[in-house]
Amino acid sequence: ELLKIADKNITSIEVTRPRKDGGRDAIGQYKLQIGQGGILIDFAVEAKNLSTCEILQDQGLRERCLVTVAASMQDLSICDKLKIVALRGLCYGAVGSIKQDIAICEKLQNATIKEQCLSGAAAGTGDITICSRLEIKEYRNNCYRLIGAKQGNLNACEMISDDRVKEQCYAVAVSVIKDIGLCDQLTFVEEKDI
């Protein structure tokens, strides 16, 4: 998902199974604009290999690649080397979220990246109080949903202001805590079927 945020020309990406041999970490398709049209090309990402990024001639592509490596390696020193300020912030946000380090997230200037970082950190730690500090409603709701679904925390689901997202949270949380009786409380039919 970080790659899609960093580059809107990525049309699809699929994470591959983990490997210890340095194999591909993701595959996807990238849209190259050519005149009025474009073509799709396949690509692969090896998330922990700096040399893969260093061979890229285009600075933007190289730095987007480095954001992915930094996030994968949880290494802020890679973020420090980025020259494109927006990507540096995205990099810090990705590393902060993955490391579940609230202090890193709090230092971010871009409100959207900061809230994404805090939401990811909260979901990882299960700290519901972080969600309540988020100002952007969608990120706040998503934060509660992630915690509710991951931990089966119905209190987190209850905090969601969007009814559809709340129902999705309850549906997954109910399956986590394995209490099928709670399914009768769901109002959307498709959520009951989960």
Side-chain angles (χ1 to χ4, degrees):
E1 289 305 308
L2 290 173
L3 286 173
K4 281 185 175 180
I5 293 169
D7 192 332
K8 302 297 183 200
N9 290 321
I10 294 175
T11 60
S12 68
I13 190 158
E14 178 184 333
V15 176
T16 57
R17 293 188 314 176
R19 294 178 173 224
K20 293 183 180 183
D21 64 356
R24 296 181 304 190
D25 293 310
I27 55 173
Q29 290 197 313
Y30 189 88
K31 184 175 184 179
L32 284 177
Q33 291 297 125
I34 301 174
Q36 297 294 324
I39 60 170
L40 291 176
I41 59 170
D42 293 326
F43 72 91
V45 175
E46 191 172 341
K48 292 186 179 179
N49 190 340
L50 284 171
S51 63
T52 302
C53 301
E54 297 302 331
I55 63 171
L56 296 170
Q57 297 296 315
D58 181 86
Q59 180 184 7
L61 289 176
R62 182 174 53 255
E63 293 205 355
R64 286 180 189 97
C65 180
L66 289 170
V67 168
T68 305
V69 173
S72 178
M73 296 176 70
Q74 300 180 29
D75 186 347
L76 285 176
S77 69
I78 297 170
C79 301
D80 293 335
K81 296 174 186 172
L82 299 177
K83 294 183 181 24
I84 301 173
V85 175
L87 289 178
R88 193 178 316 130
L90 181 66
C91 187
Y92 286 124
V95 173
S97 178
I98 291 168
K99 287 181 84 167
Q100 301 167 11
D101 189 328
I102 306 304
I104 294 171
C105 300
E106 291 289 358
K107 292 178 183 175
L108 295 167
Q109 299 298 311
N110 180 295
T112 301
I113 294 173
K114 180 177 182 175
E115 297 228 338
Q116 287 172 335
C117 182
L118 287 167
S119 180
T125 62
D127 186 348
I128 197 170
T129 62
I130 297 169
C131 301
S132 64
R133 296 182 358 218
L134 301 179
E135 294 179 20
I136 302 171
K137 181 178 75 170
E138 289 79 15
Y139 292 121
R140 187 173 52 250
N141 284 339
N142 189 53
C143 183
Y144 287 129
R145 182 187 62 79
L146 290 170
I147 292 174
K150 183 177 178 183
Q151 298 179 340
N153 184 333
L154 298 177
N155 291 330
C157 297
E158 187 58 36
M159 302 298 290
I160 297 171
S161 63
D162 179 286
D163 289 338
R164 174 67 74 183
V165 177
K166 184 184 288 190
E167 287 283 309
Q168 292 169 349
C169 181
Y170 279 129
V172 177
V174 163
S175 70
V176 169
I177 60 176
K178 297 180 180 19
D179 186 349
I180 200 160
L182 293 172
C183 291
D184 294 333
Q185 296 176 22
L186 300 175
T187 57
F188 296 107
V189 174
E190 58 271 17
E191 303 308 333
K192 288 183 180 185
D193 294 337
I194 292 178

